[in-house]
Amino acid sequence: MPSLTRDEAVARADLLTVSLMEVELDLDRGAQTFGSVTRIHLTASGDGQTFVDVKPETLHRATIDGADLDVTSLREGRLPLAVTAGEHVVEVEATMAYSHDGEGLHRATDPADGEDYVFSHLFLDAAPAVFACIDQPDVKAPYAVSVKAPPEWHVIGNGSGTIADGGVWHLAQTRPLSTYFVALCAGPYVSVTDEHDGIRLGLWARRSLRQQLQEHAPEMLEVTRRSFDYFHSIFGIRYPFDDYDQVFVPEFNAGAMENPGCVVVRDAYLFRGAVGRDELLTRANTISHEMAHMWFGDLVSPQWWDDLWLNESFAEYMAHRCLVEATEYTEAWVDSTMSRKSWGYGAERSPSTHPVAGSPAPDAKSALANFDGISYAKGAAVIRQLIEFIGDDAFLEGIRDYLTEHSFGNGTLAGFLAAMSRASGQDLAAWSAAWLETSGVDTIAVDRAAGTVTRRAPADHPAQRPHALDIATYSGGVESSRTTLTLETDSAPVAGVDLTAPLVLPNAGDRTWATPLLDEQSLAALRTELPAMTDAQARAVIWVGLRDGAALGQVDPRLLVDLGEAALVTETNDSIFSRAGMHLTNRVIRVLLPEEEQDAARARMTAVGEQVLATAEPGSSLALHAARLVARTTDDVEGRLVPWAHGRDLPVGLEGDADFRWILIGQLTRRGILTGDEVDEALAQDRTMTGQLGALTARAAIPTEAGKAAAWADLTTNRERSNHELVAIAAGFWGPADRSLVEPYVERYFADIPPMSAWLGEDALARVATMAYPSRFVSERTLELSRATLARTDIDQGVRRAIVDAQSELEEALASRRAFPAARP
């Protein structure tokens, strides 16, 4: 289907204003389709030809002011519409299809009890698959929604709901919303409710997750209350919508979606087994992030998709700030460095890198291709630099100005900069051009001999970015000096730091967006300094800097393995231990190291896990992560994998943990020790959605020709699979020790994955394409096949972006292996 262009959106917004959307949905028609009736109350500024967006299974009728429209004129989701100046009502009746790819109105069946659950996800252009509309972010309108549902179902939406005779739910009319924020969740959901500061709070989940919901509700509600208090205190505008519901739904594509008053969250956050503190922090960050969107994104929405950063960068920054200042998760910026900024730096290294803002998006799908770690993590880092530049008081004053001026409307980069300039009294044009409107990440290095600090922008993305940063030095793991400065030129003298110290660390506090390059003396000192360092933020900066260095072919991946062995055994921060451990096992060892060195390096990580498991407090978060590290890496089948899988000799806190058991089952299946029948037996003991996904991953890992053929066919031809099921299959496919079993599928990936766009949504397929990419096969042949695929003109944009990014990582791996080859025997 054609993607709405910016020119089309501008013309339509000039012609049409929508004053009210009336939407009637009938969800009581079975599991495949639902009824949709929409009345669009609009005003035309003049006579003109335009169109309504609608993507039905069947379009039954359409009228304007009671006169029939030609329903046979519908083409590719666009129903032509001729209007005259003045007010009109367009009514559209259609039968719509439920989706199974996480877009539109998604319907999922819970295998635990056979109950069905429905939720909407209308970002970026999926709203017309639920109701007819003028689908663009700058056409906002109030919504009056009614829903007919089965009698045992509960309906949750943007407005509080009441049920009338006939099983019809009426949701309170909303304030003006962009189409992609309309929310609907329906099914036999269960809830925990509360009230805070006059706002009714609701947490909702599948009936089979009632126990987990009740167990986790107190902590989640506490984060919710504290976030409300904090944002009210700094924004100067009260929460501007109705009740505040957070609905935990199955098979959601993202972490969460910020629908006003009805936040949709992936229900994997209702942890059913042992959980690490970093995982609780991630969930708390998601809760706070989505709440920040009630102001940034919902109250003020982007005028066009290339200003999505005004949503995500601010929510990313505000959530971390809120956690640090208003909750117990005071280490949130350390977690941001390890999880979020590393994601953003990876996006910056890719050929698909783009500016935070001002990147022209000629159509909606082009904007979606630029929706990544740059939009989130880099944008948040740039906001921290803006605060350094204009001061926090001016920043908060500018926010209040911006939100007040554009309330229930739309914002732009120009409007944001104008508000910040008024508050600070500074012209921000040059600052914006350097930080928001250019791509690339600078490197920051200290020259000990010259006593200077230098910055270097990427050659293909030149820029003059001023960096407010700090430089710290360490000896014996203890900070020996620190200085702060603003680097406005390519080189500047460094004063106030001990340049004779073993370790000199630029950007030690992670205040800016840059890759710290360590000098040779500092790199050599890491083996002794990093294990002894008490500054968690500095440790995180080192790990992420080394990650970048290894990806760029500047740091030997063996150094990262050495440091993992030396430093992770003394690591006390959950985010650092878990994220560094995952990066070492999944990327450094599995991809960057030569194949003949991988087994030995993996065994060293097993030893790290065993040592931490033996010394950490039993049942602690670090002990949990250590046990997971052992389970992922050990070759001790009889001493570890088999007894743990059978519930024997488990670490404290992992007794009965079904999720941990699926890790073990996957490892045993990958080795050919468990068969498909035994996977079925395990699934019979865990008939949940999570168990189903674990079984799909384990079954896809079966190391036989027949097993691989069946898994590949399931992945690439089974149109009944949900988005999450496909990702689970892809996750288990490439792992056998005998690489020859899957090598034929390297070529088949490039032939079989792109055509799946015929039945799978773009966002869902992009996730499948990323997970299924044959990254384990680091060869020129894989690169040749990848490049040939990207040369085709018939590739879906989401798949293209997934392959571009995966290919970039493949090229990094090839460069690393050339720079640091295996030693000759």
Side-chain angles (χ1 to χ4, degrees):
M1 290 186 178
S3 180
L4 182 71
T5 69
R6 183 168 194 160
D7 289 344
E8 289 173 328
V10 169
R12 194 160 59 163
D14 286 344
L15 179 63
L16 302 179
T17 301
V18 179
S19 58
L20 177 65
M21 291 285 294
E22 295 181 271
V23 178
E24 299 173 3
L25 301 178
D26 184 355
L27 308 186
D28 201 14
R29 297 186 178 183
Q32 302 304 317
T33 61
F34 61 96
S36 174
V37 177
T38 310
R39 283 178 291 278
I40 307 172
H41 298 254
L42 57 83
T43 301
S45 60
D47 299 349
Q49 296 286 332
T50 184
F51 58 91
V52 171
D53 300 293
V54 59
K55 302 173 184 177
E57 179 86 357
T58 305
L59 181 57
H60 300 296
R61 65 179 180 88
T63 64
I64 180 168
D65 302 327
D68 288 339
L69 297 172
D70 180 9
V71 296
T72 65
S73 66
L74 178 68
R75 295 288 186 275
E76 297 186 303
R78 296 182 174 187
L79 180 66
L81 181 69
V83 295
T84 57
E87 297 181 353
H88 303 279
V89 178
V90 175
E91 184 165 343
V92 178
E93 180 180 357
T95 295
M96 303 291 194
Y98 290 110
S99 80
H100 300 286
D101 61 6
E103 301 174 30
L105 197 59
H106 182 99
R107 185 167 181 142
T109 301
D110 187 346
D113 55 16
E115 297 284 4
D116 279 10
Y117 293 85
V118 167
F119 68 85
S120 64
H121 184 52
L122 306 189
F123 181 82
L124 170 129
D125 58 357
V130 180
F131 52 85
C133 56
I134 309 300
D135 190 30
Q136 54 192 76
D138 58 337
V139 177
K140 303 178 81 169
Y143 279 77
V145 178
S146 63
V147 181
K148 187 176 188 299
E152 67 275 13
W153 282 20
H154 201 101
V155 174
I156 312 112
N158 303 104
S160 55
T162 57
I163 188 167
D165 293 341
V168 176
W169 290 77
H170 296 274
L171 305 182
Q173 184 171 308
T174 71
R175 303 298 296 269
L177 303 179
S178 298
T179 47
Y180 76 102
F181 286 134
V182 177
L184 176 68
C185 299
Y189 287 98
V190 295
S191 66
V192 174
T193 61
D194 195 8
E195 184 173 317
H196 179 69
D197 196 14
I199 304 166
R200 192 197 66 81
L201 309 178
L203 302 174
W204 302 81
R206 287 179 281 135
R207 186 181 294 167
S208 65
L209 292 176
R210 184 192 300 270
Q211 178 182 344
Q212 288 82 3
L213 179 66
Q214 293 174 342
E215 288 176 354
H216 290 280
E219 200 268 347
M220 293 189 295
L221 287 170
E222 179 65 9
V223 173
T224 301
R225 289 188 290 263
R226 288 181 177 269
S227 297
F228 264 128
D229 290 344
Y230 185 74
F231 292 141
H232 282 157
S233 73
I234 66 172
F235 293 155
I237 298 175
R238 279 188 57 79
Y239 170 62
F241 300 103
D242 202 343
D243 300 339
Y244 195 75
D245 290 304
Q246 297 173 81
V247 188
F248 292 81
V249 303
E251 301 181 344
F252 193 57
N253 279 343
M257 179 64 194
E258 64 271 17
N259 310 307
C262 183
V263 176
V264 175
V265 191
R266 62 192 303 244
D267 62 12
Y269 281 136
L270 293 178
F271 307 107
R272 62 179 191 156
V275 55
R277 177 176 172 84
D278 61 315
E279 293 168 308
L280 294 174
L281 188 158
T282 297
R283 183 177 68 190
N285 183 271
T286 300
I287 290 171
S288 190
H289 177 110
E290 304 309 322
M291 187 184 293
H293 273 309
M294 298 300 120
W295 289 266
F296 289 97
D298 297 2
L299 177 64
V300 181
S301 307
Q303 184 166 312
W304 182 241
W305 299 114
D306 50 12
D307 275 323
L308 270 173
W309 77 278
L310 285 167
N311 294 18
E312 298 305 341
S313 299
F314 277 86
E316 180 86 1
Y317 168 75
M318 287 298 175
H320 285 89
R321 176 171 174 156
C322 175
L323 290 192
V324 170
E325 297 188 11
T327 78
E328 67 174 281
Y329 297 107
T330 55
E331 73 274 31
W333 286 119
V334 176
D335 182 78
S336 171
T337 301
M338 292 301 299
S339 62
R340 309 297 286 179
K341 292 189 79 170
S342 60
W343 172 39
Y345 287 142
E348 281 273 54
R349 294 193 303 269
S350 170
S352 59
T353 185
H354 57 87
V356 173
S359 181
D363 59 69
K365 290 193 183 298
S366 296
L368 183 60
N370 285 340
F371 195 54
D372 54 22
I374 294 171
S375 310
Y376 288 77
K378 183 178 182 180
V382 169
I383 289 171
R384 296 184 78 179
Q385 285 292 299
L386 174 63
I387 293 170
E388 297 280 356
F389 190 70
I390 66 173
D392 195 55
D393 289 344
F395 172 70
L396 293 178
E397 181 181 339
I399 284 176
R400 297 180 191 118
D401 181 0
Y402 172 77
L403 292 175
T404 300
E405 181 179 0
H406 300 285
S407 286
F408 299 108
N410 299 87
T412 62
L413 170 62
F416 164 74
L417 291 176
M420 292 296 160
S421 293
R422 287 192 295 269
S424 65
Q426 298 189 55
D427 183 349
L428 296 175
W431 182 92
S432 175
W435 272 115
L436 290 172
E437 301 166 52
T438 59
S439 303
V441 55
D442 295 347
T443 58
I444 304 290
V446 173
D447 185 330
R448 292 175 186 256
T452 59
V453 57
T454 61
R455 72 175 184 196
R456 293 289 182 271
D460 49 351
H461 296 291
Q464 295 293 319
R465 285 178 276 264
H467 291 268
L469 73 153
D470 51 6
I471 301 170
T473 64
Y474 300 87
S475 180
V478 177
E479 181 182 314
S480 55
S481 62
R482 184 182 293 256
T483 190
T484 60
L485 70 154
T486 298
L487 183 59
E488 298 181 299
T489 58
D490 288 341
S491 180
V494 176
V497 291
D498 177 13
L499 296 183
T500 65
L503 171 61
V504 177
L505 180 60
N507 196 30
D510 203 17
R511 297 169 60 192
T512 192
W513 181 261
T515 298
L517 295 183
L518 299 184
D519 63 273
E520 290 299 323
Q521 182 180 341
S522 294
L523 279 173
L526 285 179
R527 288 179 173 85
T528 55
E529 290 295 324
L530 184 57
M533 289 179 68
T534 58
D535 183 345
Q537 185 64 76
R539 297 197 304 272
V541 168
I542 289 171
W543 275 114
V544 174
L546 290 172
R547 179 175 181 155
D548 269 11
L552 294 170
Q554 299 171 346
V555 175
D556 191 332
R558 298 173 185 86
L559 174 61
L560 275 74
V561 177
D562 291 345
L563 292 174
E565 187 175 48
L568 290 186
V569 293
T570 61
E571 184 56 62
T572 57
N573 181 278
D574 283 11
S575 297
I576 297 176
F577 184 91
S578 63
R579 304 286 181 174
M582 290 291 288
H583 179 245
L584 284 167
T585 56
N586 291 352
R587 177 69 178 164
V588 174
I589 295 173
R590 185 174 180 267
V591 178
L592 299 185
L593 279 185
E595 292 162 23
E596 57 267 39
E597 298 180 28
Q598 292 178 7
D599 288 346
R602 195 174 297 108
R604 293 167 69 186
M605 292 303 100
T606 301
V608 169
E610 292 283 12
Q611 184 174 342
V612 174
L613 187 58
T615 57
E617 179 183 349
S620 67
S621 185
L622 279 174
L624 165 64
H625 288 305
R628 290 174 178 169
L629 179 59
V630 172
R632 293 197 312 269
T633 60
T634 187
D635 285 324
D636 186 359
V637 172
E638 296 303 323
R640 279 294 188 233
L641 294 179
V642 169
W644 279 3
H646 287 88
R648 301 193 305 269
D649 305 322
L650 281 165
V652 173
L654 288 170
E655 303 88 352
D657 190 316
D659 294 338
F660 185 66
R661 187 176 183 230
W662 281 113
I663 296 175
L664 302 164
I665 291 171
Q667 291 297 328
L668 290 169
T669 306
R670 183 176 70 83
R671 290 168 168 80
I673 295 168
L674 295 184
T675 66
D677 289 343
E678 289 165 308
V679 172
D680 289 342
E681 292 174 9
L683 179 58
Q685 301 171 38
D686 184 23
R687 288 207 172 276
T688 64
M689 282 192 167
T690 305
Q692 201 167 51
L693 297 178
L696 286 170
T697 298
R699 185 174 287 280
I702 293 175
T704 64
E705 288 186 9
K708 291 303 174 186
W712 191 257
D714 200 12
L715 174 67
T716 58
T717 66
N718 188 346
R719 299 192 178 197
E720 300 303 313
R721 289 292 185 198
S722 73
N723 50 322
H724 277 219
E725 288 173 332
L726 295 173
V727 169
I729 294 168
F733 185 80
W734 295 103
D738 182 1
R739 290 160 49 94
S740 67
L741 284 171
V742 291
E743 191 164 9
Y745 293 93
V746 174
E747 188 166 351
R748 290 192 60 178
Y749 168 91
F750 298 102
D752 295 349
I753 295 294
M756 292 171 65
S757 60
W759 67 88
L760 203 60
E762 183 169 328
D763 186 33
L765 181 54
R767 295 170 192 274
V768 174
T770 297
M771 181 60 74
Y773 192 88
S775 58
R776 186 184 179 196
F777 287 83
V778 182
S779 69
E780 293 294 336
R781 175 58 178 160
T782 306
L783 181 58
E784 178 185 334
L785 290 167
S786 192
R787 287 174 172 169
T789 302
L790 292 177
R792 292 165 49 183
T793 59
D794 61 340
I795 304 298
D796 175 269
Q797 195 160 1
V799 175
R800 179 177 297 280
R801 171 63 188 267
I803 294 177
V804 164
D805 290 348
Q807 178 180 295
S808 176
E809 292 189 349
L810 172 63
E811 290 169 334
E812 290 175 354
L814 286 166
S816 177
R817 291 191 183 186
R818 287 193 297 268
F820 305 102
R824 294 183 178 180

